[in-house]
Every structure is written in C-alpha cells, then in structure tokens.
Amino acid sequence: MAGTTDRQKSCAIIEIFKSMEYGPVSDSSSIAKAWLKDRKLGPFIDGNFKETSSSEYDVFRPCTEEVLTKVGLTSEDDISMAVTSSLKAADTWTNLSGHERACHIYSLARHMQKHATLLAQMESLNRGVQSCDPREFDVPAVVRYLYYYAGWAQLSSSSELRDWKPVGVVAGIMSAVSPLITLAQIVAPALAAGNTVCLKPPKGSPLPALLFANIAMQAGLPPGVINVLPGGSEVGRLLVTHIGVSKLMFSGSTGLGRLIRKQTAGLGIHLTLLLSGGKSSMMVFDSADLDSSVDGAVHAAWFNQGQVPWSVGRLLVQESIWHDFVPKLRACVDRLRVGEAFDHLADVGSPITKDIITSLAVATSVAQKNGLEVYEAQIPPGLSSETFFPPTLVIGGFADSNLTVDDDILLPLVEVVPFRTAKEAIALANNSRYGMAASVWTENTSLALEVAYHLQVGTVWINSHGTVDAGVPFGGWKQSGIGVVGGKEGLLEYMQYKGVRVSMTTDPVQYKYFGMTPDVSVCCPPSLNQQTNKGSVPVVDRTYKLYYGGAYKRPDGNMSHAVLDGTGKIHAIVADGSRKDVRNAVEAAAKAQPAWRKIGAHVRSQIIYNAAEKLQSRREDFISHLTTLYGKSDKEDASKELDACMSLLFHWAASCDKKQFAAGDVSPNSSVVVNVCREPLGIIGIVQAPVQSSTGPWALLGFISLFAPAVCYGNTVVVIADSMHPTPALEFCEVLHSSDFPAGVVNVLTGDSEALLSTLANHQEVAGLWAPQTTATEAKYIEWASSVNLKRIWVDKLPCFTSFEQVTDFRELFELNSTRTKAVWMPCGEIFAN
Amino acid sequence: MSDRNPGCELDLGWLNSIHVNVPAIRLRADVLQSRRSVKREWQAAWLLRAITCIDLTTLGGDDTASNVARLCAKAAHPLSSDVLLALGFEEDDNRITTAAVCLYPSRVADAVSCLKKMGMADKIPVASVATGFPSGQYMLKTRLEEIRMAVTSGATEIDVVIDRSLVVTHQWELLYQEIQQMKEACGPKTHMKTILAVGELGSLTNVYKASLVAMMAGSDFIKTSTGKEAVNATLPVGVVMCRAIRNYYQRVGYKVNFIILSYAVLSLIV
C-alpha cells in the first residue's frame, strides 16, 4: 500500500517537474479550534466568562454554515454588571503608579506575543480574512501598540502629561469591519491613560476579543480592567448610553458612527470615531515606479479582503502613462489567487459578510451600464461565486458618479480613473465626503510633498500604502472619523484636561424644532430718545450691521433688536441675522480659508500683532464702550480687560509660528520619514461667551479667547456674538478691518442665537463648532446636529472662561481643537547594496 | 519565439521613463517570500528544476584538468542514483543535469574533452567567462578577442561582463554598442549571457536600465553578478531584473532568461 502511494507521488513529481505548478499549501487553524473546544464562552466580566447565559447564539465561520462555537449573549443586567465592575476596577487601576500600569501593559504585550499564532488563527477563523493578514499585519501591530502605550503608562507622571487625567470607563465598540488591530487601538491607550475598558466586539465575530480578554487575564491584568460584551447593536446602544461610561471609541461604518453621535448627545461623553465610510485614493504620477505602484495598488486594494477603511478604492492614474499602466494592472489582477482563508497561496478570500457579493454585482452592472470596462479576475473552479467574489476593476471612470465607492459599504472594488494634472488629481481625490487616507506615487519629492499638503485626509503615504505604527496618529478627516488612534494624541483621546468639565443634561431637546421659534421679545426695538430742552428727540440711530466677507452687511431679513447695557437702558441696536446670513458668512469663510492657511504662520502671526497694535490705538474708545455696556461707573475694570485682551492677542500671535505640541517627526525607523502636521480644520463656528471675571462678564476678552486661537492655526471663523454683549465683537471687527486681516477670515453675526446656531450646526461646510460655556441644552443640540457631517465639536466648560488669569494656559488644548492630524509617510532609501 | 534574442534598437526614451523606488521593491521582496510556498512533492519537483537551472561553476585561479573533470562529472550526475530513483526518474535520466558548466577560457578545452568522453558533449553546454572577467576593465579589442578564442576552444555559451563604468556614467549608447559587438563575436550559435555585476552599478535604477540595454543589444540571458563583487544577488535585485525582463517581453516579445547568482535566493523556494 505504502509502495503504491510512493509510486504515485513519484509520478506526480515528474509531472510537476514538467508543469512547474504550485501545489496546495494550507495554513493551520488547529490551535484556534483547540482553544475553542469545550470552552464556555459568553460575556467576559470581572475576569471570568459568565457561566450561564439566558440566551446563546451560534458563531459561524464567515460565509459558511460551519458553527465554530456558541457564545452567550450579553443581557442588560450583564451590561450593568460590566460597567460596575469597570468602575470599581478603575478606582484601583487609576491609582496605580505609572510604572505599575506600565508593567501590566508590558506583560500584556509579552503574552500577546507568546500567543501570536493563536490570535492570528482566531482572527482568520472568525473574520474569514486570509491567514497571512493577521499573522503578518494585525498581530505584530497589536503587540507594537501594547509596547508603545506601556511606554506612555510609564511616562504618565511626567511633566508633559501633568495637566491630563484619566476619564474613567471607556466603551469600545467594534464592528464587523474592524480588524484585530482595532482591539489594541482601543485597549492600549485607554489602559495606559489609566482608564478601564468595556469592549463590545461585533456579534458575528466576537472570538478574537474574547480570546484577547482571556490572554489578558493570564497576563495578570486585574479583573474588571477589560470586560468584553458580545452582542448586537442593542448591546452597543445600552453600553454607550450607560451612565457609567465616560468615553467612547467606535470603529465601524460612518452610518453607525452618525447614529452613535446622536445617541450620545447630552451624555457628556467624548467620542473617538474611526469610520470606514468611503475608501482611499491612490494617485500614480508619470514619474512613479510603475511596476511597484501596480503591485502596491493590488496589495492595498485587497488586503484584508479590501474591507478596511484605508483599502484602495480609487486608483487615479496620470493620462500620460495610462496605456502602460492599465495593461500591467490587468495582468497583476489576473495573477491574484482567490481561495479559502487558510489557503496559504490565496491572496483574496471570501468577504466578511455575504451581502458584499450582491452589492458588488449591483455596482459592476451600474458601471457597465455607464459604458465603463469591468475587469474581473477569475474565481478558481471549485469555489462558489456565492461565497467568493472576483477581484474587480472598473476602468475608465467612476462607476456611478461617486455612488460605488463613496458609500458606506466597503466594496472590494477598484475604480481606475485617468487624470491630467496634479491639480486635477488633487481635486478628484478631495471630491469625497470622506478623508481617511490616500497615497501618492512619484519619484518627484517636490510633487509628492505638494500633493500631500493639499490632500484632505488624515494619512498620506508616499510610494507606499497601508503602513501603520502605534507611534503615528491615524484618524480620518471629514466623515471618516473624529480623533485619532496612535501616538501621544491617541493617548490624549482617553484623557481629560485639568479643570475642563463636560456638559451633560437629561433634559429632552426638541431637535426638530430647535431654533425654529423666533424670539419676538427682542424685535421692533424702540428708538433711542434723548431729552433736550425741546422735549424728547430721537438720537441718530446707532445700528450695528453684521460683519462678514470683510464688510459690514445689512441682515437679509432687515430686522434688528436692542441691546441693553448693565443698567438696563438701551445701549445699541444690532442686526437680526437669519439662516441666509449664516450661509453667506460660511461662504465667505470658505472662500478665505485656503489662502489664509497658505500665507503661513509667520504672516498670520504678523497680522494678529497688527490687530493688537490697532486695538492699542483705539484703547480709549474701547474702554468707554465697555464701561457703558457693562454699566460701570469707572473705567478701571474695562481698562483691565483691555490689558488682558492685548496680552492674549500677543499670546496667540506668538504661538502662531511656534512648533506645535502634537506635530513633528515620529519616524519609527530609519527607512521611513513620518512627519505629523497639525492642519487647520477649515471653518470653525464659534458661539461667543464672555469671560466671567470677579467683577462681571468681559465680553471682548471672551471673543478674543476663541477667535484668536482658531485663526492663529489657519482656520477661518463664523462667530455668533454673545446675545447679551454683542457689540464689543462688532466693534472689534473694525480693528480687524483696519489691520491686515483678509476678508472672510473673521465673520461675526448677531441675532437669535438658537436660530443662528442651528444653521451653523447643521452646515456641511463647517468643520468645527466651539461653544464652551453654552447651556447644556444647546450643547446637547450641537452634539446631536453635528452628526450631519461629523463636525469636531467642543462644548466643554473651560476654566479659562471663569478665571481670566488662565486665558493663556490652554495652548495645547486649543491646538488640539483647532487642528487635525495629517501624517505623511515617506519611505526613503536608494542605496541597495552594502 | 526564436531561440535567440533578436535585440532591438536602443530606445533612450524608454530608458528615461524608468523609475525605481527602492523601499517599494524591498516591500515587494518581503511579500513575495510570504505569499508563495511549495511543499512536499511540489518542493521536490521545484528543487529538481532548480538543479537543472544551475550553471555549475569553478572560477578559481588554481583550477586544473582534474577538478574540472570532477565538476563535469557532477554536472552530468548531480543526484545520486538512489535519490533519483526514489523521485521517480530513471537511474541515468538525461533530464536531470545542470544547465551548464562554467569556467575560465583556458579551462574550456579540458571541460569539452571531459564531457565528450562521458558522451555528454551535446547535453551539457560549456560556458566560458570572457571580456576581462570579472572586472571588465580591459581594452575592448582584447575583450572581444577573448570571446572568439573561447568559442574556438569549444565553448557553447559565453558569460560576458559589462564595463560598469559605462553604467555608472550613464553612457548607454556606448554600453549598447559594446554588448552588440560582444554578441557579434559570439557568432550565430553561441548563447550570450550578460553579467551586470549589480553590486557595482550604484542604484537599482541603473540595474533596471543596464538590464534593458543588455537585452536591447541582444543578450540571451542577463545575470546578476560574477560572484566576485561584494554584493551579489539579492531578492530586491531579482525583483528589478525580472520586471525589466517582463517589460522587455511585453514590448519586444522575447523572453530573456534570467540567472541569479545566489544560494540564498535558491533557498527561498525550499
């Protein structure tokens, strides 16, 4: 018998010797299966898997009928138990020394390293991704994240973190498209910062997270520091709205991110969202290494089944190389092997969820209908087209004017689109609601860096695509997310600045009707009269207009209202701005922003200094204006305010051209240069509030406290002036007007603040909205409405508004809220020998 | 496809369009190593195939007729009979020999007579290095003469080295002309393998361009290195040269052969 087998083998060898074919090579899943065998899995609370669960459900291998195991579903009681356990654990965990926490996280990293194979197999088994993906990418990255943040735990008592403290219990929500790496992106920084974590893995693939928790226990992590709650969206909803949760990190689709933003409005929870709507662009210029860019594109397009947020979805190719590039690309796609997750030779496997296959078919048929070429690789015989998809190219244009890729579903599809010039490539890449990442392929460094400057994304890879490192902040712009994972900024996501209080309320807000009821009490102001010896005579009306686009403008509705001074007398008449005025102001701000950013920090700094000079020259005017407005009898207080304003303007002018806290070089090794820039958000909406001094409100200082840092970092602003004291800001616009501030950089509106706010909060082009000191109801509304385009909102109570001595203390916090991260990766090296 | 690379006109526009990104090539080389694998029967068959691709070489200053004879014997029977039988081949299977034996010009006659005695003269080509091997730093006239003399001695393949100074200083026309003349000196029947000595070319872009020039000038094979440079075949170099060959094939329609001088690369498929 054995002899026959040997002979068969020998024959086979001669045949293979002739044909030179590849043979089957399978990776193992045995360790993962052994771990699952006879193991009771369910909610992992306080260091144990919950033994009895009222309801269990089957966990399948994706796209198959194969049941891997049963997992107990998390109940509402379990969630309460878990959060209680996390809160309890946080008491001790937070009070451990930085070194002690570092030792724990270090041990966690060591244990993950020891169980690397098991973790990788579990991820592949339960998420259906190719076995090499977690083995080569996710698991090493998980380990790296843990080591990196063990380092931050060690440094948590150092001076650079002196002003930051942990937030408490972090809820981490993962979705079906969150790869294994997300686990570490949530857990490592949260624990390092001194928080405890309740994790909700996706319902269909909870096993890697449960395994992670189990290994964490072996590593000696105290019970309750990590709890894992398997279940669906209901478990997610109950967890994120739980009163004990102080911070939320979510990784998943933009649609769900938006829903969570709404669900958590008013709860006083800060969000970090890593959203997978849309896909990344890759642009190939005629100065690129074509063969490498073809290989790079194909690898980055179908890594992890093409279903991670940074997968390449749009491949922009310069027209001059189109005819060289496209045949190479087709040939490369032909060579891709489709196969099972544990087939060692397969490059692409089945999708994470089956519905992708139907969506892909719909998308390609639309593309065909639009006259585009659809090019598909082959699915090998023996594999079902119901569970496997062919790697697909749509060549020549966007499949359905944005719909195919610019959508919430991550289709494993690449649109190949020609462009003519760098300018056009940038415009095509930026024409998206999303902004996770992009790559630029060219050997021309000057071109690469210029394109990187213009791309509206959180990560730009030059001549590479998809590299991540724990030390480099990674996060999306626009509707691809809020906040970052990685780096020191990733740590600060899980910390609260000293003295800052979150705004929360349980009061219901009628979101639909917010700002819809006009405030009639302030309409139709009586004319201002003065008594003369001939009786009462109307004084010459002093009616302030709105200030936007570099000029004072009459309000669209032609309405105005009175402003009272501190003694209750009418002080001035101000314009009643409406929705139309907000839209005009935003348009002006949008027009001004690119140039304002481009002129650079030095010039911006000079312009702010110039405004300070002009303020100084009008000092006496302002003092008497403020004194009257506040109804004070002497000018001492206003004089103090002016001093503070001057100092604050100088402070921001000085900060403008200095190195930013969170920017700089974070290269993980010598073969790549990674530069992190902090770039302006764009347009920031500001709800002005006065600084409360011991003697009363200081409105001008409040205005400068917010607009100056925002413009200092290159943003343009639309300010809703304080409804009680709108005139100082309007007066100050004259100062801005006479200094060198370009039109549209600062815009100030007055009027019914709720109506203005609702327009601003719902505006798609407004990238950030600051309303510190606003009412809890307004804050709740802002949080809810910001979900429309996932604005960066800032509605915390800031100590600098209650104590004017502190106005210059919060530079780092203002920088973080004025800017967002762009990490530019540039692999380097030309020397190949010796 | 013809047996010999017809070559083509020197196309400088094509050369100038070449860009090579070293970090991307390195990454590609890493991915290649993890994404493909052969095991069991496939591993055995692929290793056998590798043996048949080897130019079994001795290039020592102390080579004599006796060690050349041993070399030829090994080339004719690289595997012991019991192993060959176990793998399903005949004891004297003609298919399993090395691709050639390779020596200095003055040892060619020894090898030819040895192989004749074994009856393997028409099975195993005798390859001779030439053109001022290994440095190429000699006059063109003598370099060309070396080729002719080696062919006269019975060599059926000539391994030429290029003048690296022409690559480093980007004198592509001159390089093209020299290789063309070398090809001419080889005559119509002798295969020409062009050794690029990649370790001395300065950059991978130069490696890519030198590969293209060598193919345009009619080389039947391109080869990484002489074995005498400090750096020889590495996987990134292999990636670049394979891409050049593919590029040439796509444009000209001839698939030039590729020789890698490395044990490390061979071990990759094991």
Side-chain angles (χ1 to χ4, degrees):
Chain A
M1 193 62 198
T4 328
T5 325
D6 282 351
R7 200 164 309 130
Q8 279 168 352
K9 270 192 188 166
S10 318
C11 291
I13 291 173
I14 297 179
E15 282 310 308
I16 302 163
F17 178 75
K18 284 185 203 147
S19 68
M20 287 299 285
E21 272 175 2
Y22 282 101
V25 183
S26 284
D27 288 337
S28 168
S29 58
S30 56
I31 309 180
K33 283 180 171 160
W35 188 85
L36 287 174
K37 198 162 186 289
D38 302 327
R39 194 178 290 266
K40 190 93 180 135
L41 292 173
F44 184 87
I45 300 168
D46 230 18
N48 295 300
F49 289 110
K50 209 183 147 210
E51 286 291 323
T52 50
S53 205
S54 48
S55 62
E56 286 186 328
Y57 67 99
D58 290 334
V59 173
F60 294 93
R61 266 181 88 159
C63 294
T64 69
E65 304 296 313
E66 185 184 335
V67 177
L68 293 170
T69 185
K70 282 185 186 308
V71 169
L73 190 67
T74 306
S75 67
E76 200 169 344
D77 289 345
D78 295 337
I79 294 170
S80 296
M81 272 172 59
V83 176
T84 312
S85 135
S86 293
L87 281 167
K88 199 166 136 257
D91 278 345
T92 17
W93 183 251
T94 307
N95 292 318
L96 291 182
S97 72
H99 176 64
E100 285 164 328
R101 274 206 305 277
C103 288
H104 273 297
I105 303 171
Y106 190 82
S107 163
L108 199 54
R110 298 292 291 213
H111 277 75
M112 292 302 154
Q113 224 164 3
K114 280 183 210 160
H115 295 289
T117 309
L118 173 57
L119 257 176
Q121 286 186 7
M122 192 63 81
E123 167 80 353
S124 213
L125 198 62
N126 198 190
R127 286 190 66 247
V129 294
Q130 295 317 104
S131 54
C132 57
D133 290 344
R135 190 176 58 224
E136 288 165 13
F137 176 79
D138 290 275
V139 175
V142 165
V143 173
R144 162 82 181 129
Y145 268 92
L146 290 167
Y147 279 130
Y148 177 82
Y149 281 107
W152 274 117
Q154 176 71 36
L155 298 174
S156 59
S157 44
S158 68
S159 63
E160 62 177 316
L161 292 173
R162 198 185 46 211
D163 296 330
W164 297 84
K165 60 179 181 53
V167 290
V169 177
V170 174
I173 313 281
M174 297 168 72
S175 77
V177 292
S178 319
L180 181 62
I181 184 178
T182 317
L183 260 174
Q185 288 172 335
I186 298 171
V187 170
L191 298 195
N195 309 293
T196 53
V197 180
C198 278
L199 264 180
K200 191 205 82 72
K203 188 176 182 191
S205 45
L207 304 181
L210 292 170
L211 170 63
F212 186 90
N214 183 257
I215 297 174
M217 283 309 111
Q218 290 174 32
L221 206 65
V225 172
I226 298 179
N227 294 317
V228 182
L229 307 169
S233 54
E234 183 59 13
V235 175
R237 190 186 64 80
L238 289 169
L239 178 61
V240 301
T241 53
H242 195 285
I243 188 79
V245 170
S246 323
K247 165 78 196 177
L248 172 72
M249 154 77 190
F250 168 74
S251 154
S253 73
T254 298
L256 270 179
R258 222 188 290 285
L259 180 69
I260 286 178
R261 175 66 280 182
K262 286 184 179 172
Q263 282 174 348
T264 53
L267 299 177
I269 295 182
H270 280 189
L271 305 188
T272 301
L273 305 175
L274 200 61
L275 303 177
S276 59
K279 291 175 87 178
S280 297
S281 293
M282 168 167 166
M283 21 177 89
V284 183
F285 288 91
D286 57 9
S287 44
D289 174 345
L290 293 197
D291 290 301
S292 291
S293 42
V294 167
D295 284 332
V298 169
H299 184 249
W302 285 288
F303 166 78
N304 237 312
Q305 337 298 55
Q307 293 192 273
V308 285
W310 60 91
S311 304
V312 169
R314 296 168 155 203
L315 183 52
L316 307 172
V317 180
Q318 196 152 26
E319 210 172 324
S320 50
I321 48 162
W322 179 262
H323 294 291
D324 280 336
F325 187 89
V326 174
K328 283 178 192 285
L329 182 66
R330 283 202 198 96
C332 193
V333 168
D334 282 339
R335 286 197 301 275
L336 276 179
R337 285 161 167 260
V338 177
E340 304 274 356
F342 287 93
D343 178 349
H344 185 89
L345 302 180
D347 303 301
V348 188
S350 43
I352 286 152
T353 50
K354 255 186 178 176
D355 55 331
I356 294 298
I357 294 171
T358 333
S359 308
L360 184 63
V362 172
T364 51
S365 79
V366 171
Q368 264 158 344
K369 213 182 284 170
N370 290 346
L372 298 171
E373 180 192 343
V374 172
Y375 191 81
E376 290 178 344
Q378 295 298 311
I379 299 177
L383 297 182
S384 158
S385 62
E386 281 169 23
T387 45
F388 290 89
F389 63 86
T392 305
L393 302 172
V394 169
I395 301 173
F398 295 117
D400 186 12
S401 54
N402 282 5
L403 262 183
T404 313
V405 172
D406 213 20
D407 206 332
D408 232 10
I409 310 167
L410 291 175
L411 286 182
L413 168 78
V414 178
E415 296 176 313
V416 195
V417 179
F419 68 85
R420 293 166 298 170
T421 60
K423 202 171 171 185
E424 188 172 60
I426 292 162
L428 287 169
N430 283 344
N431 183 23
S432 168
R433 280 175 282 152
Y434 306 102
M436 183 61 88
S439 62
V440 183
W441 293 69
T442 172
E443 291 305 296
N444 179 345
T445 317
S446 162
L447 172 68
L449 294 179
E450 187 180 29
V451 173
Y453 171 88
H454 286 290
L455 287 172
Q456 295 163 357
V457 292
T459 301
V460 179
W461 290 290
I462 296 171
N463 293 318
S464 54
H465 195 110
T467 343
V468 296
D469 182 74
V472 182
F474 181 82
W477 284 27
K478 301 197 256 188
Q479 300 189 29
S480 286
I482 293 175
V484 294
V485 294
K488 183 189 166 192
E489 285 165 79
L491 180 79
L492 298 184
E493 293 283 333
Y494 297 93
M495 303 190 92
Q496 183 74 287
Y497 204 80
K498 65 163 187 199
V500 173
R501 283 181 304 114
V502 294
S503 171
M504 57 208 294
T505 178
T506 50
D507 293 347
V509 175
Q510 293 294 318
Y511 296 123
K512 263 178 120 176
Y513 304 106
F514 185 90
M516 301 292 274
T517 334
D519 184 358
V520 286
S521 66
V522 293
C523 288
C524 311
S527 64
L528 298 175
N529 289 351
Q530 67 180 11
Q531 295 298 326
T532 64
N533 48 10
K534 289 172 184 164
S536 176
V537 173
V539 295
V540 178
D541 242 2
R542 192 182 180 196
T543 303
Y544 288 90
K545 294 179 189 165
L546 308 172
Y547 182 81
Y548 63 82
Y552 286 95
K553 305 268 171 73
R554 217 174 279 285
D556 181 64
N558 269 322
M559 295 205 293
S560 51
H561 68 265
V563 175
L564 305 181
D565 65 19
T567 60
K569 281 193 288 203
I570 290 177
H571 171 69
I573 310 292
V574 296
D576 242 350
S578 62
R579 287 165 197 279
K580 177 78 172 121
D581 299 307
V582 175
R583 286 196 287 270
N584 289 344
V586 171
E587 204 180 309
K591 210 172 143 200
Q593 201 271 331
W596 180 242
R597 173 189 171 208
K598 209 174 168 189
I599 55 165
H602 169 70
V603 179
R604 283 201 300 272
S605 149
Q606 290 298 306
I607 290 175
I608 299 172
Y609 277 126
N610 192 253
E613 273 178 36
K614 294 286 181 332
L615 179 63
Q616 183 66 19
S617 68
R618 291 196 49 199
R619 183 182 168 90
E620 291 313 315
D621 288 355
F622 270 94
I623 289 177
S624 56
H625 179 98
L626 293 173
T627 308
T628 324
L629 175 65
Y630 301 148
K632 297 264 168 65
S633 50
D634 67 43
K635 294 184 172 177
E636 192 195 333
D637 210 33
S639 168
K640 268 193 201 158
E641 183 176 355
L642 256 285
D643 290 343
C645 289
M646 286 299 292
S647 162
L648 191 56
L649 282 172
F650 261 62
H651 171 76
W652 287 113
S655 306
C656 200
D657 58 355
K658 299 303 175 290
K659 188 187 168 295
Q660 298 176 353
F661 289 100
D665 177 76
V666 285
S667 312
N669 58 56
S670 64
S671 61
V672 59
V673 174
V674 187
N675 188 38
V676 171
C677 338
R678 296 290 306 185
E679 298 202 352
L681 297 181
I683 303 171
I684 296 181
I686 292 176
V687 180
Q688 187 206 341
V691 169
Q692 296 297 334
S693 77
S694 52
T695 53
W698 282 4
L700 185 61
L701 187 63
F703 175 65
I704 294 173
S705 296
L706 293 178
F707 105 82
V711 299
C712 152
Y713 290 109
N715 301 287
T716 53
V717 295
V718 176
V719 182
I720 300 175
D722 181 37
S723 54
M724 298 280 284
H725 314 97
T727 49
L730 290 166
E731 285 285 335
F732 192 78
C733 288
E734 278 187 20
V735 170
L736 297 173
H737 197 70
S738 61
S739 52
D740 296 325
F741 265 94
V745 172
V746 180
N747 307 280
V748 177
L749 303 173
T750 51
D752 177 357
S753 63
E754 285 202 353
L756 298 177
L757 175 59
S758 85
T759 315
L760 209 50
N762 280 293
H763 204 294
Q764 288 278 356
E765 272 197 88
V766 176
L769 189 55
W770 295 358
Q773 313 312 103
T774 190
T775 65
T777 316
E778 275 187 0
K780 186 172 177 178
Y781 176 76
I782 292 171
E783 289 183 322
W784 182 85
S786 70
S787 67
V788 65
N789 66 338
L790 296 169
K791 288 180 182 62
R792 275 63 178 163
I793 51 167
W794 195 17
V795 292
D796 293 338
K797 306 264 181 251
L798 304 178
C800 54
F801 276 86
T802 45
S803 137
F804 77 91
E805 293 86 359
Q806 289 192 45
V807 286
T808 55
D809 278 3
F810 294 84
R811 196 171 134 210
E812 186 174 13
L813 204 55
F814 274 102
E815 177 192 315
L816 289 171
N817 281 285
S818 304
T819 56
R820 54 191 162 188
T821 294
K822 183 190 278 176
V824 179
W825 291 70
M826 186 138 120
C828 51
E830 178 71 12
I831 300 167
F832 76 101
N834 302 318
Chain B
M1 197 171 79
S2 107
D3 186 35
R4 305 287 307 274
N5 174 15
C8 66
E9 297 269 309
L10 176 66
D11 185 343
L12 287 174
W14 184 2
L15 282 197
N16 289 334
S17 72
I18 298 303
H19 301 281
V20 176
N21 185 270
V22 178
I25 302 267
R26 288 219 172 90
L27 187 72
R28 183 68 192 154
D30 290 345
V31 169
L32 277 176
Q33 291 177 70
S34 72
R35 291 303 158 95
R36 294 291 179 262
S37 166
V38 278
K39 301 271 189 225
R40 302 190 307 275
E41 299 94 299
W42 285 268
Q43 188 174 6
W46 282 52
L47 283 172
L48 275 175
R49 175 60 76 185
I51 290 172
T52 66
C53 294
I54 291 174
D55 277 5
L56 199 64
T57 302
T58 177
L59 288 169
D62 54 355
D63 286 343
T64 64
S66 70
N67 76 316
V68 167
R70 278 199 303 278
L71 186 82
C72 292
K74 189 72 185 169
H77 303 287
L79 282 183
S80 67
S81 319
D82 54 335
V83 173
L84 214 50
L85 280 172
L87 291 171
F89 289 80
E90 304 296 319
E91 203 168 327
D92 274 329
D93 204 305
N94 281 340
R95 284 174 292 188
I96 308 296
T97 66
T98 64
V101 289
C102 176
L103 336 89
Y104 272 119
S106 59
R107 297 271 75 83
V108 168
D110 292 340
V112 170
S113 82
C114 185
L115 286 170
K116 253 185 202 151
K117 274 185 231 159
M118 294 161 63
M120 298 295 278
D122 51 348
K123 303 249 163 46
I124 301 176
V126 175
S128 171
V129 297
T131 72
F133 183 94
S135 70
Q137 296 273 16
Y138 296 85
M139 303 309 155
L140 181 62
K141 193 175 172 191
T142 61
R143 283 189 277 148
L144 294 174
E145 196 53 32
E146 277 177 29
I147 298 177
R148 288 187 205 100
M149 289 176 74
V151 172
T152 317
S153 307
T156 48
E157 291 181 0
I158 301 292
D159 286 20
V160 299
V161 292
I162 59 167
D163 179 352
R164 275 80 97 181
S165 73
L166 300 180
V167 176
V168 173
T169 57
H170 291 188
Q171 299 187 63
W172 305 117
E173 291 97 335
L174 211 51
L175 179 66
Y176 177 80
Q177 286 159 12
E178 279 199 13
I179 300 173
Q180 259 192 337
Q181 289 181 55
M182 291 173 186
K183 170 97 172 193
E184 230 172 82
C186 287
K189 287 181 190 154
T190 314
H191 275 114
M192 183 172 80
K193 306 175 190 164
T194 304
I195 302 174
L196 301 178
V198 291
E200 295 177 353
L201 297 189
S203 71
L204 285 181
T205 312
N206 280 348
V207 171
Y208 200 124
K209 291 180 176 178
S211 303
L212 280 184
V213 172
M215 290 186 285
M216 291 173 187
S219 307
D220 301 301
F221 292 70
I222 54 172
K223 182 167 176 172
T224 55
S225 43
T226 64
K228 311 283 186 191
E229 293 87 45
V231 171
N232 295 289
T234 60
L235 209 51
V237 166
V239 169
V240 169
M241 290 175 71
C242 284
R243 284 177 175 179
I245 289 169
R246 187 171 66 194
N247 204 343
Y248 183 80
Y249 174 63
Q250 282 161 353
R251 291 220 193 178
V252 181
Y254 182 84
K255 203 175 263 175
V256 169
N257 294 288
F258 178 44
I259 302 178
I260 38 179
L261 197 100
S262 168
Y263 300 107
V265 174
L266 186 65
S267 68
L268 276 177
I269 61 168
V270 177

